[in-house]
Amino acid sequence: MSELRWDPLKQHWVIIATERGRRPRDFMVEHETTDAACCPFCYGLEGKTPPEIYAVRDTGVANSPGWKVRVIPNKYPALRIEGNLNSRGFGPYDVLNGIGAHEVIIETPDHDRDMAELSPAEITEVLRAWRARFLDLRRDTRFRYMVLFKNHGTKAGATLSHSHSQLIAVPLIPPVAATELRVCKEYFSAKERCLICDLIDFELKSGERIVREFANYVIMTPYAACFPFEVRLYPKRHAFDFALLPDAELAELAVALKDMLTRLRSVLRDPPYNFILHTAPPRHPRLGKPGYWSSIEYDYHWHIELVPRLTQIAGFEWGTGFHINPTSPEDAAAFLREAGA
Amino acid sequence: MSELRWDPLKQHWVIIATERGRRPRDFMVEHETTDAACCPFCYGLEGKTPPEIYAVRDTGVANSPGWKVRVIPNKYPALRIEGNLNSRGFGPYDVLNGIGAHEVIIETPDHDRDMAELSPAEITEVLRAWRARFLDLRRDTRFRYMVLFKNHGTKAGATLSHSHSQLIAVPLIPPVAATELRVCKEYFSAKERCLICDLIDFELKSGERIVREFANYVIMTPYAACFPFEVRLYPKRHAFDFALLPDAELAELAVALKDMLTRLRSVLRDPPYNFILHTAPPRHPRLGKPGYWSSIEYDYHWHIELVPRLTQIAGFEWGTGFHINPTSPEDAAAFLREAGA
């Protein structure tokens, strides 16, 4: 019997269609890679990208070899940094200018190593780059939220195969984050407990959907997963803001993130995937209301959500907001647990 | 300058990134078709499908040749018809059994003609089949909503290329419909006007996003379109429930629908697409509350939404709920207007 399951954080229903019971081998997706010869992210070709914003370097000056991680502006940004928001009405609609920042974090000089293959020390440098860019971008008071995400593989929207993540600063809280922030705030006002802490507690006691537990982190599949092998990485202790993590916690996060990516790679043979960092927005001034600031979102609980891109979104999913997931999160967790890392 | 635009019906923001300004020829997608030899929807192979639920026939008995439109249960349903909902809590979550109906409407006996190539009279028979199935399924009081949609092309999720649409009856109002219904109801209580009637009025006066106007229907691109060449078909006069349309209006709708599909086919060379019928839910009994019924959703305004599948949904869109649309709805409308039908 298939089930409809409710996610209290996302506020959505999902159809877990277990009768279609699909296993990892049903999902193998062909991989396409881009040629190293013409890759602008490669070592020694620093002049092919816009000038770097941030870099971890052993040697060398900016925009020359000697780097381990490099952050550059996206050459084809979705949003531009120059200008004012100019929020306004237009008939029954509303519109504002497409102001934002769009950066690329090149995670390694090596064209052929993906994030799962980097060492924990190398991944730690990537996480430090993320944190540094979060902290820098939030000084720009036009930006309401920073979206940190990774597209891995052509099927997941990556145009270059050289390992990289992206950071987009947006002038509005995105709808998905807005829902999670609102729900966490309402839950905390009613109960003086964090919703996500409560979900983690329940999952650790149940164990069915736990993939791996670390001292301070846990990897699990969500009860109402929209997609096969959807997986999340949570800090076990309440923490609302990724950008405030101390170095020691970044180092353990690197170990947990590598573990999660390695298990997926092993079970699904290097699947295309997207992951997104969900974190609290920076405190920001209210648009057009001098002296007014937003509150700090202490009630939120940051985490990373990963979706392997194994199935297609068709008419039903797009038109209803319901997803049909042919692999139960319990089966997915069992496969990932057994995989080893 | 790109823009962020607000859709007051969908309650979402979209990024119109006009600087990427993509034109129809940038979007050509390869088409794959399935072989007629092994197509279970083909004329003369009626025994290959589950027994038919509804058919338009000139001659012949059920499940034999002689038909023009045929409705059958989906062989691999997402939801099953047998059983009870058994709505219940599960720790911090909620769950109910996957009860529903999943039907396939085979739109023509001819393997090689897609919906755009059918005559208005043939499309009218398809619309009558939709209406008949809506009216029949709403007699089952476990079903809260019927989702009528079409996947055209492999890239849009169609597993068979023989022209067909699908109808899924679900035991909950889907999230996308729930938002639209709530927003229309709130708008009407505040203003005693229909939100969608007001949007259509504004668009007809502006003209920028109008593709084609008929006596009772209008085809337009939405102001805050999430995808390139997204297009909608609205009845101009207020009507909340597709299933209550009289025959004469179905016949004109067939002409308008064919016009919309033909223009898309011409501008984008037979693109993969999904369309969905958005309509009011049937009046339904409140789960577990004998004697309580839902109100009738008079404030809603039914319509058809179509999305050509030309771009990928990557990490940013999935993780934020923001979409980045590289073609402005004004440009898309101009291309579709000029195309002729």
Side-chain angles (χ1 to χ4, degrees), chain A residues 16-300:
Chain A
I16 308 285
T18 43
E19 285 159 28
R20 297 184 171 189
R22 292 173 66 186
R23 299 165 64 87
R25 65 168 172 276
D26 300 327
F27 290 123
M28 297 306 157
V29 174
E30 263 175 80
H31 239 295
E32 297 157 45
T33 51
T34 52
D35 193 0
C38 53
C39 171
F41 293 172
C42 268
Y43 200 75
L45 299 177
E46 294 75 16
K48 280 182 146 185
T49 68
E52 69 196 35
I53 298 166
Y54 172 99
V56 180
R57 305 190 150 270
D58 288 329
T59 57
V61 295
N63 306 306
S64 75
W67 56 276
K68 295 195 286 189
V69 175
R70 225 177 145 230
V71 183
I72 54 168
N74 191 314
K75 215 167 177 174
Y76 308 99
L79 298 167
R80 303 230 162 230
I81 198 119
E82 310 83 11
N84 294 312
L85 294 171
N86 190 20
S87 178
R88 58 209 183 268
F90 175 66
Y93 310 112
D94 295 273
V95 56
L96 43 85
N97 292 335
I99 303 298
H102 192 163
E103 302 181 355
V104 176
I105 299 95
I106 309 172
E107 295 161 345
T108 166
D110 189 342
H111 185 81
D112 294 316
R113 289 170 73 217
D114 79 19
M115 200 180 206
E117 294 170 301
L118 301 182
S119 70
E122 288 171 310
I123 296 176
T124 304
E125 292 296 352
V126 173
L127 300 180
R128 289 166 65 104
W130 293 357
R131 185 180 61 181
R133 296 309 305 145
F134 268 94
L135 292 174
D136 186 47
L137 283 166
R138 63 173 60 171
R139 294 186 304 134
D140 190 322
T141 56
R142 295 170 306 168
F143 302 151
R144 293 289 174 272
Y145 198 80
M146 282 90 203
V147 185
L148 187 294
F149 64 102
K150 183 176 170 76
N151 300 337
H152 172 76
T154 323
K155 288 265 185 336
T159 43
L160 293 169
S161 64
H162 193 129
S163 190
H164 68 283
S165 34
Q166 298 181 61
L167 180 55
I168 301 188
V170 287
L172 291 161
I173 308 273
V176 170
T179 300
E180 294 189 11
L181 290 162
R182 175 178 59 75
V183 167
C184 284
K185 194 189 281 285
E186 286 169 4
Y187 192 93
F188 192 88
S189 348
K191 309 192 182 180
E192 297 217 348
R193 295 198 314 269
C194 164
L195 168 60
I196 296 177
C197 286
D198 278 8
L199 295 178
I200 294 168
D201 263 11
F202 178 83
E203 292 298 344
L204 285 171
K205 271 173 204 139
S206 146
E208 275 189 294
R209 283 165 293 277
I210 301 294
V211 174
R212 173 81 191 270
E213 201 182 338
F214 294 88
N216 292 299
Y217 293 96
V218 59
I219 301 168
M220 62 173 83
T221 59
Y223 175 73
C226 290
F227 303 99
F229 292 90
E230 190 177 340
V231 62
R232 299 198 186 147
L233 195 170
Y234 292 97
K236 280 152 71 177
R237 275 180 307 168
H238 186 77
F240 67 103
D241 189 348
F242 166 82
L244 301 181
L245 285 190
D247 283 352
E249 290 184 35
L250 286 190
E252 193 188 347
L253 176 58
V255 172
L257 187 54
K258 181 179 168 72
D259 181 274
M260 177 166 85
L261 298 177
T262 308
R263 284 172 195 273
L264 278 167
R265 206 180 148 87
S266 147
V267 172
L268 296 165
R269 309 247 177 95
D270 192 17
Y273 65 76
N274 303 117
F275 73 63
I276 297 253
L277 179 65
H278 288 235
T279 186
R283 190 154 170 267
H284 61 76
R286 295 285 183 187
L287 200 64
K289 303 210 172 183
Y292 284 83
W293 285 73
S294 70
S295 57
I296 302 179
E297 300 284 354
Y298 294 113
D299 310 335
Y300 193 64

Side-chain angles (χ1 to χ4, degrees), chain B residues 201-222:
Chain B
D201 264 9
F202 177 81
E203 292 298 345
L204 284 171
K205 271 173 206 141
S206 145
E208 277 188 292
R209 282 164 294 276
I210 301 294
V211 174
R212 174 81 192 268
E213 201 181 339
F214 294 88
N216 292 300
Y217 293 96
V218 59
I219 301 168
M220 62 172 85
T221 60

Side-chain angles (χ1 to χ4, degrees), chain B residues 29-336:
Chain B
V29 173
E30 264 175 80
H31 238 297
E32 298 156 46
T33 51
T34 53
D35 193 1
C38 53
C39 172
F41 293 173
C42 267
Y43 199 76
L45 300 176
E46 294 75 16
K48 280 183 145 185
T49 68
E52 68 195 36
I53 299 166
Y54 173 99
V56 180
R57 305 190 150 271
D58 286 330
T59 58
V61 295
N63 307 305
S64 76
W67 56 277
K68 295 194 287 188
V69 174
R70 221 175 150 235
V71 182
I72 55 169
N74 191 314
K75 215 167 178 174
Y76 309 99
L79 298 167
R80 303 229 163 232
I81 199 118
E82 310 85 11
N84 293 314
L85 293 172
N86 189 21
S87 178
R88 59 209 183 270
F90 175 65
Y93 310 113
D94 296 272
V95 57
L96 42 86
N97 292 337
I99 304 298
H102 192 162
E103 303 183 352
V104 176
I105 299 95
I106 310 172
E107 295 161 347
T108 166
D110 189 340
H111 185 79
D112 294 315
R113 287 170 75 218
D114 79 19
M115 198 178 210
E117 293 169 303
L118 302 182
S119 69
E122 288 170 311
I123 297 176
T124 303
E125 291 298 352
V126 174
L127 301 180
R128 288 165 66 103
W130 294 356
R131 184 180 62 181
R133 296 310 305 144
F134 267 95
L135 291 173
D136 186 47
L137 283 166
R138 63 174 58 173
R139 294 185 305 133
D140 190 322
T141 56
R142 297 170 305 168
F143 303 151
R144 294 290 173 271
Y145 199 80
M146 283 88 199
V147 185
L148 187 296
F149 63 101
K150 183 176 170 74
N151 301 336
H152 171 75
T154 324
K155 289 263 181 345
T159 45
L160 293 170
S161 64
H162 193 128
S163 192
H164 68 284
S165 35
Q166 299 181 61
L167 180 56
I168 301 188
V170 287
L172 291 161
I173 308 272
V176 169
T179 300
E180 294 188 12
L181 290 162
R182 175 178 58 74
V183 165
C184 284
K185 195 189 280 286
E186 287 170 3
Y187 192 92
F188 192 88
S189 346
K191 310 193 182 181
E192 298 217 348
R193 296 198 312 268
C194 163
L195 169 59
I196 297 177
C197 285
D198 277 8
L199 295 178
I200 294 167
D201 264 9
F202 177 81
E203 292 298 345
L204 284 171
K205 271 173 206 141
S206 145
E208 277 188 292
R209 282 164 294 276
I210 301 294
V211 174
R212 174 81 192 268
E213 201 181 339
F214 294 88
N216 292 300
Y217 293 96
V218 59
I219 301 168
M220 62 172 85
T221 60
Y223 175 73
C226 289
F227 302 100
F229 293 90
E230 189 176 341
V231 63
R232 300 198 185 146
L233 195 171
Y234 293 96
K236 280 152 72 178
R237 274 180 307 167
H238 187 77
F240 67 102
D241 190 346
F242 166 82
L244 301 181
L245 285 190
D247 283 353
E249 290 185 34
L250 285 190
E252 192 189 347
L253 175 58
V255 172
L257 186 55
K258 181 180 168 72
D259 181 274
M260 179 167 82
L261 298 177
T262 308
R263 285 171 194 272
L264 277 168
R265 207 180 148 85
S266 147
V267 172
L268 296 164
R269 310 249 176 93
D270 192 16
Y273 64 78
N274 304 118
F275 73 65
I276 298 253
L277 180 64
H278 288 236
T279 185
R283 191 155 169 265
H284 60 77
R286 295 286 183 186
L287 200 66
K289 304 208 170 183
Y292 284 82
W293 285 72
S294 70
S295 56
I296 303 179
E297 301 284 354
Y298 294 112
D299 310 335
Y300 193 64
H301 191 127
W302 77 268
H303 59 281
I304 294 174
E305 302 193 3
L306 186 149
V307 171
R309 298 294 295 271
L310 308 167
T311 52
Q312 269 188 320
I313 294 171
F316 179 76
E317 288 81 357
W318 161 69
T320 62
F322 277 143
H323 285 265
I324 302 175
N325 180 351
T327 304
S328 85
E330 296 73 31
D331 285 350
F335 280 112
L336 293 167

